Amino acid sequence: MLDHILDKITGNNGKHKLKAKSKKIEGSVVLMKKNVLDFNDFQASFLDRLHEFLGKRVSLQLISAVNTEPENKLRGKLGKPAYLEDWITTFTSLTAGEAAFKVTFDLDEGFGMPGAFIIKNLHHSEFYLKAVTLEDVPDHGRMHFVCNSWVYPTDKYKYDRVFFANKTYLPSKTPQPLVQYREQELLNLRGDGTGELKEWDRVYDYAYYNDLGDPDKGPKYARPVLGGSIEYPYPRRGRTGREPTKTDPNTESRLPLLSLDIYVPRDERFGHLKMSDFLAYALKAIVQFIYPELKDLCDSTPNEFDSFQDVLNLYEGGIVLPEGPSLDNIREKIPLELLKQVFATDNAQLLKYPTPQVIKDDKSAWRTDEEFAREMLAGVNPVIIRRLKEFPPKSKLDSSVYGNQNSSITKEHIESSLNGLTVDEAIENNKVFILDHHDALMPYVRRINTNTSTKLYASRTLLFLKDDGTLKVLAIELSLPHPDGDQYGAVSKVFTPAEQEVEGAVWQLAKAYAAVNDSGYHQLISHWLNTHAAIEPFVIATNRQLSVLHPIHKLLHPHFRDTMNINALARQILINAGGVLEKTVFPGKYSMEMSSIIYKDWVFTEQALPADLIRRGVAVSDPKYPHGLRLLIEDYPYAVDGLEIWAAIETWVHDYCFFYYPTDNLIHEDTELQSWWAELREVGHGDKKDEPWWPKMRTLDDLTKSCTIIIWVASALHAAVNFGQYPYAGYLPNRPTISRRFMPEPGTAEYDELRSNPDKAFLKTITSQLQTLLGVSLIEILSKHSTDEVYLGQRDTPEWTADRAPLKAFEKFGKKLEEIEGRIMEMNGDGRWKNRVGPVKVPYTLLYPNTSDFSRTGGLTGKGIPNSVSI
């Protein structure tokens, strides 16, 4: 009746209704303004304030998870726009960066629980939206939205920016009002596969590695396309959509060398703390930008490094940088304060490096055979050594192409060093091991030796496991292809340990040739291919196929942080034609091509640590032992610590996945999960799509094992092969990356020099002075933890999910990792475990999780497992 009377009075003819009751909900929005992150862009700050003053503000609209609007295609009901308050008067500190803004929502009574919100930025500049929190939501209480995303002005998008509450839903259990928002967001992230991508595009897509070469600069800068062919298979990288080169339509054009503005989705770029760290560290590695001046400096130094003291001067005194236009160019682009950090001196002119751990306690212990062998178990590349099961070692290379490539090591070479055992007895008792860099390198040795400055051998190193748990080097075989052609087999020489006179100098060189091979294989395969390159397709597929609401997205997302960014930077300045890697590692221009050939043998399931140890024969299945494995080298620090970490990850992943998938049918009915796994196999690692070893993704066991492998590779495996680079290889004589001449032959001037001045001859053979400066600069950056590092067992926000059981399981995971930390330190202090410290007195901490450390100090710590491949 009242409605009717009001209609008569107002003339609404029934259109007027009583205003629905509404409730005000207070919220807070945490973000970082652009000017905080880019301290030169004060114009952005001024224009944002001007837009705010003119009424062009930042608005948020809540989306109901309960009620739909038929006129909105059954999408969740939208609340009224609410605006950030006090933008003009809220200033942010240049150090802290974050600012909190109030926002007040006016919700109708029948709105129901919010499940998401739309944000519109009508300012001039983008900002980084970290989180939104609502207080006193009816029938719910506090609600949290984890955002961690750049929000650009609305004119940059063809769609609304939507953020979801920190709830977790399988696709089939998503509240109906949110379903279309969930599906549309994934479509937005996939893009349409066309055009050059811009920083605000948020598109995750795939491309071949066709951006390493630069044929427009000339034929010597052309490189093959990696991926998409039987000849050169490779994991996919993130697409940028740049135009092809003029010379080759299959090669993508490159950015100028000094540009770090290569496309990755903006949310995948380094945060402001990481970027400032990276600039400070990385400018040391852009030695290539002052390459001409450094080359002049090094070329004017007689005989390069004349003694080991010359090398030590890098750490104890430093090298004065020359003046030159390239250095001036850097000064113009980089603030003076950063330059001082980069060159570690008051006048920004001194190239000086911190002392690597391997020479900190003892300057010569690295040269002992015991340390040489120990680093195969506890050094920077502890993932290659395997048990020898037949003698002499046999090659798997095609004999119709490469002839006889079997080893020429005989029983006479080694039997006197087997502690009274025969060779057959030693092999039967699991006492003989091999570091084998023969088959992987031999197909490239002739090309490398002919077309680069490197003088390379394929190598095999045999070792004997002593009763005290340490390894004794038995022999090193160095092989070259036959001078008359590959089909005639290998020409090999075998060297055995010696300490005195010229034979001792020859033995030190033999170890150096083997170390060169291990260094190059480590950098290209163990490090780049098996962690950086292998994990990037998982980053892309997860963002394209798994909604942020999906439990597996929430599980894996922390393990993908910064990976696309560091890989993009690597393609720009490290692994490109003429980049630092080609200048400092023995395969030179064949480096990436060689990694592609080795990718042919990559097997996803063998990236699991237990499977890898069994494959290499260093462990056997035994249910009586922890983790169901018995290590045949009991004192194998990488394997011992790694198995503890692996088991902790696996337990955590199982507990998490079981909460969301209590029955297997939920897994094979999960449309997003199945699309994710199919895309990984068929596109991301598309050159491996027909392999039979891919898990079927039908059971909880399939899901647990697959996610455990992904997390293991991104976190612990990468930490094990990355953060020991500077401690061990920062002193290049210990881990040389290039050999520049062959083993001297008796009767030659080089042999006479080896007899009269063995140290000088050694230094003339391995990495040159210029290559050392480049190489050490690079690995110093790669070995540093950033100040915003998030370690395994940590999250960047405690409210990453609203589900209590997963939070409890994650807390248990963190406590387990802290227990492992204690056990590692205890074993490092126990003299029984000789391989954990060794002659160089460097404790094995590369798999020390550092979960207990929230100090955010970063630097060259030599310990800590970050969540992701982030450097």
Side-chain angles (χ1 to χ4, degrees):
M1 175 66 77
L2 181 60
D3 283 354
H4 183 69
I5 295 169
L6 284 171
D7 289 341
K8 288 290 185 185
I9 295 171
T10 60
N12 270 338
N13 295 324
K15 294 178 185 175
H16 177 86
K17 296 292 177 192
L18 281 175
K19 189 175 180 181
K21 289 184 180 178
S22 65
K23 176 176 173 59
K24 292 196 182 302
I25 296 178
E26 300 292 331
S28 66
V29 177
V30 178
L31 57 77
M32 285 186 274
K33 297 180 180 181
K34 186 193 177 197
N35 68 292
V36 174
L37 308 178
D38 182 356
F39 49 82
N40 292 320
D41 199 350
F42 293 109
Q43 179 188 9
S45 178
F46 171 76
L47 288 173
D48 285 344
R49 285 183 165 83
L50 179 61
H51 281 225
E52 185 80 9
F53 181 74
L54 296 174
K56 295 181 177 181
R57 303 174 65 186
V58 176
S59 70
L60 291 84
Q61 276 181 286
L62 293 177
I63 302 171
S64 175
V66 178
N67 295 308
T68 61
E69 291 178 334
E71 65 273 21
N72 198 20
K73 297 180 182 177
L74 294 179
R75 294 182 173 207
K77 185 175 181 179
L78 289 177
K80 301 183 187 72
Y83 296 90
L84 294 193
E85 300 168 17
D86 302 325
W87 181 282
I88 293 175
T89 56
T90 303
F91 289 88
T92 49
S93 157
L94 284 181
T95 51
E98 294 176 8
F101 296 86
K102 286 184 179 179
V103 63
T104 304
F105 296 95
D106 196 1
L107 284 193
D108 292 340
E109 190 174 30
F111 186 83
M113 186 181 74
F117 67 84
I118 293 171
I119 188 165
K120 294 184 178 179
N121 174 11
L122 297 180
H123 284 177
H124 168 268
S125 309
E126 70 271 23
F127 55 79
Y128 185 76
L129 182 63
K130 189 164 186 183
V132 173
T133 305
L134 307 182
E135 304 293 346
D136 298 324
V137 176
D139 302 320
H140 188 81
R142 187 175 182 277
M143 285 194 74
H144 191 68
F145 298 75
V146 177
C147 303
N148 290 332
S149 182
W150 285 90
V151 178
Y152 278 77
T154 51
D155 62 359
K156 299 295 186 189
Y157 301 122
K158 297 176 182 175
Y159 51 83
D160 289 331
R161 289 301 313 272
V162 176
F163 293 91
F164 297 93
N166 65 341
K167 303 282 188 182
T168 305
Y169 301 108
L170 298 181
S172 62
K173 297 184 179 180
T174 309
Q176 186 59 43
L178 300 180
V179 168
Q180 289 192 39
Y181 288 105
R182 176 177 185 148
E183 292 171 350
Q184 184 61 49
E185 179 68 356
L186 287 174
L187 289 173
N188 296 338
L189 293 170
R190 290 174 202 149
D192 62 9
T194 64
E196 181 172 354
L197 296 168
K198 304 299 181 186
E199 63 179 78
W200 51 81
D201 276 328
R202 303 179 65 233
V203 168
Y204 294 80
D205 203 355
Y206 301 96
Y208 301 137
Y209 276 74
N210 65 344
D211 61 341
L212 303 179
D214 194 355
D216 290 350
K217 281 177 67 175
K220 78 173 190 172
Y221 290 97
R223 296 292 180 271
V225 174
L226 305 184
S229 67
I230 294 172
E231 186 179 10
Y232 297 122
Y234 221 61
R236 304 298 185 257
R237 63 168 176 92
R239 187 177 80 85
T240 68
R242 292 198 304 270
E243 292 290 315
T245 59
K246 297 183 181 70
T247 311
D248 178 9
N250 295 316
T251 297
E252 187 172 275
S253 58
R254 293 186 54 78
L255 297 172
L257 186 61
L258 273 168
S259 173
L260 301 183
D261 199 28
I262 186 168
Y263 173 80
V264 293
R266 184 67 191 271
D267 293 347
E268 301 297 332
R269 289 197 180 188
F270 292 162
H272 67 297
L273 289 175
K274 176 76 168 267
M275 184 50 87
S276 63
D277 284 350
F278 184 78
L279 281 173
Y281 302 154
L283 286 173
K284 233 172 202 173
I286 56 170
V287 181
Q288 71 222 59
F289 302 152
I290 50 171
Y291 191 84
E293 285 76 22
L294 274 177
K295 192 170 189 307
D296 289 345
L297 169 75
C298 295
D299 287 351
S300 66
T301 306
N303 300 318
E304 303 188 22
F305 290 125
D306 289 327
S307 67
F308 286 114
Q309 186 56 51
D310 281 355
V311 184
L312 292 173
N313 286 342
L314 279 177
Y315 319 103
E316 295 170 353
I319 291 180
V320 177
L321 282 175
E323 294 293 334
S326 294
L327 198 58
D328 293 339
N329 186 24
I330 288 179
R331 283 203 189 91
E332 287 173 14
K333 295 177 183 296
I334 308 300
L336 178 62
E337 287 307 307
L338 268 182
L339 269 181
K340 287 182 179 178
Q341 287 185 58
V342 171
F343 296 123
T345 174
D346 288 339
N347 61 13
Q349 284 294 295
L350 197 66
L351 200 60
K352 185 178 179 182
Y353 301 94
T355 303
Q357 280 180 280
V358 75
I359 54 168
K360 200 167 266 187
D361 190 79
D362 187 318
K363 297 288 192 294
S364 59
W366 63 273
R367 303 195 79 173
T368 63
D369 288 1
E370 183 183 342
E371 179 60 23
F372 175 73
R374 185 192 77 91
E375 289 183 23
M376 300 176 201
L377 304 174
V380 72
N381 195 28
V383 295
I384 306 299
I385 187 171
R386 60 180 175 84
R387 178 165 54 93
L388 190 66
K389 298 177 182 177
E390 58 180 351
F391 186 87
K394 287 195 168 76
S395 171
K396 293 181 180 177
L397 292 174
D398 185 347
S399 59
S400 67
V401 177
Y402 296 103
N404 180 12
Q405 293 288 336
N406 293 336
S407 176
S408 62
I409 300 174
T410 66
K411 292 182 179 181
E412 288 72 28
H413 284 124
I414 64 173
E415 205 145 63
S416 62
S417 301
L418 300 179
N419 291 9
L421 298 176
T422 66
V423 170
D424 292 341
E425 288 169 340
I427 286 178
E428 189 178 329
N429 287 298
N430 303 322
K431 293 283 190 180
V432 184
F433 294 83
I434 183 170
L435 186 74
D436 193 343
H437 291 304
H438 183 95
D439 282 6
L441 301 187
M442 182 55 83
Y444 276 87
V445 169
R446 190 186 304 276
R447 275 179 281 176
I448 290 170
N449 287 345
T450 303
N451 300 318
T452 76
S453 60
T454 297
K455 298 295 177 260
L456 178 74
Y457 297 95
S459 65
R460 295 181 175 106
T461 303
L462 261 54
L463 306 111
F464 178 74
L465 180 62
K466 293 162 45 178
D467 292 340
D468 66 358
T470 62
L471 292 171
K472 173 169 39 171
V473 189
L474 298 172
I476 294 174
E477 178 185 50
L478 302 178
S479 303
L480 292 170
H482 196 284
D484 295 334
D486 290 350
Q487 69 273 25
Y488 295 103
V491 176
S492 303
K493 287 190 176 180
V494 178
F495 301 88
T496 54
E499 293 183 6
Q500 303 302 318
E501 300 181 347
V502 71
E503 291 80 9
V506 166
W507 175 243
Q508 289 296 330
L509 274 183
K511 288 193 296 180
Y513 289 116
V516 165
N517 291 348
D518 198 57
S519 294
Y521 194 93
H522 159 260
Q523 199 64 273
L524 286 169
I525 311 304
S526 305
H527 183 206
W528 167 257
L529 174 64
N530 288 346
T531 64
H532 284 260
I535 217 72
E536 185 162 355
F538 292 90
V539 183
I540 299 168
T542 299
N543 283 281
R544 285 168 56 87
Q545 299 296 342
L546 297 180
S547 163
V548 293
L549 293 168
H550 199 285
I552 302 306
H553 187 287
K554 281 180 162 54
L555 172 69
L556 296 179
H557 186 258
H559 303 289
F560 300 151
R561 180 181 187 233
D562 293 340
T563 301
M564 289 186 74
N565 199 111
I566 195 65
N567 286 3
L569 292 174
R571 299 199 313 275
Q572 176 68 1
I573 61 175
L574 299 182
I575 62 175
N576 58 300
V580 176
L581 196 77
E582 289 191 357
K583 286 187 170 80
T584 58
V585 177
F586 71 78
K589 68 180 182 180
Y590 298 107
S591 295
M592 293 301 290
E593 177 185 327
M594 200 173 86
S595 75
S596 165
I597 302 305
I598 293 170
Y599 175 65
K600 291 179 180 180
D601 295 325
W602 183 87
V603 176
F604 174 71
T605 49
E606 288 179 356
Q607 308 310 302
L609 178 62
D612 172 60
L613 296 174
I614 289 170
R615 177 185 63 84
R616 291 191 282 120
V618 294
V620 292
S621 296
D622 191 330
K624 297 193 297 291
Y625 280 77
H627 319 301
L629 284 185
R630 177 166 60 90
L631 289 173
L632 299 180
I633 304 175
E634 189 181 4
D635 186 10
Y636 186 172
Y638 164 75
V640 170
D641 297 355
L643 284 170
E644 292 280 330
I645 301 292
W646 170 270
I649 295 171
E650 188 174 43
T651 299
W652 148 240
V653 171
H654 175 272
D655 291 350
Y656 179 89
C657 291
F658 181 70
F659 178 77
Y660 296 103
Y661 298 98
T663 59
D664 288 345
N665 67 300
L666 289 170
I667 290 174
H668 50 78
E669 291 171 2
D670 184 335
T671 53
E672 285 185 10
L673 186 72
Q674 295 304 324
S675 296
W676 170 70
W677 196 241
E679 185 170 284
L680 274 168
R681 297 192 320 271
E682 295 166 11
V683 185
H685 281 278
D687 299 328
K688 296 280 185 177
K689 64 183 177 183
D690 297 322
E691 298 286 0
W693 37 253
W694 284 107
K696 305 299 182 193
M697 202 53 70
R698 310 298 287 176
T699 65
L700 179 64
D701 187 56
D702 287 343
L703 181 60
T704 299
K705 283 183 176 173
S706 299
C707 290
T708 302
I709 290 172
I710 294 165
I711 294 172
W712 163 261
V713 169
S715 60
L717 178 60
H718 179 258
V721 298
N722 181 72
F723 292 101
Q725 290 186 88
Y726 197 83
Y728 284 106
Y731 183 64
L732 253 293
N734 184 51
R735 298 277 301 172
T737 57
I738 289 176
S739 44
R740 293 178 289 147
R741 60 184 191 180
F742 291 123
M743 181 72 81
E745 296 289 342
T748 63
E750 289 84 1
Y751 194 84
D752 292 340
E753 182 183 49
L754 190 62
R755 186 193 304 274
S756 63
N757 193 341
D759 286 355
K760 188 172 182 178
F762 183 96
L763 291 167
K764 274 187 176 180
T765 302
I766 65 163
T767 318
S768 70
Q769 187 180 39
L770 174 60
Q771 290 162 331
T772 295
L773 295 180
L774 285 166
V776 172
S777 296
L778 169 61
I779 62 176
E780 184 189 0
I781 299 168
L782 298 180
S783 303
K784 282 186 172 178
H785 290 284
S786 68
T787 52
D788 67 348
E789 203 81 272
V790 183
Y791 294 104
L792 193 64
Q794 300 177 353
R795 290 266 177 158
D796 57 4
T797 172
E799 297 184 88
W800 58 274
T801 180
D803 294 327
R804 290 184 181 178
L807 287 172
K808 278 199 163 299
F810 188 68
E811 184 183 356
K812 185 176 88 169
F813 175 49
K815 287 178 178 174
K816 181 64 179 176
L817 292 172
E818 290 183 20
E819 285 177 24
I820 293 170
E821 289 177 1
R823 189 149 52 240
I824 287 172
M825 300 311 285
E826 186 180 325
M827 291 185 76
N828 285 349
D830 187 338
R832 285 182 304 159
W833 309 112
K834 296 181 182 300
N835 294 328
R836 296 198 70 91
V837 176
V840 293
K841 304 289 191 295
V842 179
Y844 188 71
T845 55
L846 294 176
L847 285 175
Y848 179 91
N850 221 29
T851 309
S852 58
D853 180 13
F854 290 89
S855 66
R856 303 290 186 256
T857 50
L860 280 172
T861 63
K863 66 179 182 181
I865 302 175
N867 270 325
S868 61
V869 179
S870 57
I871 192 66

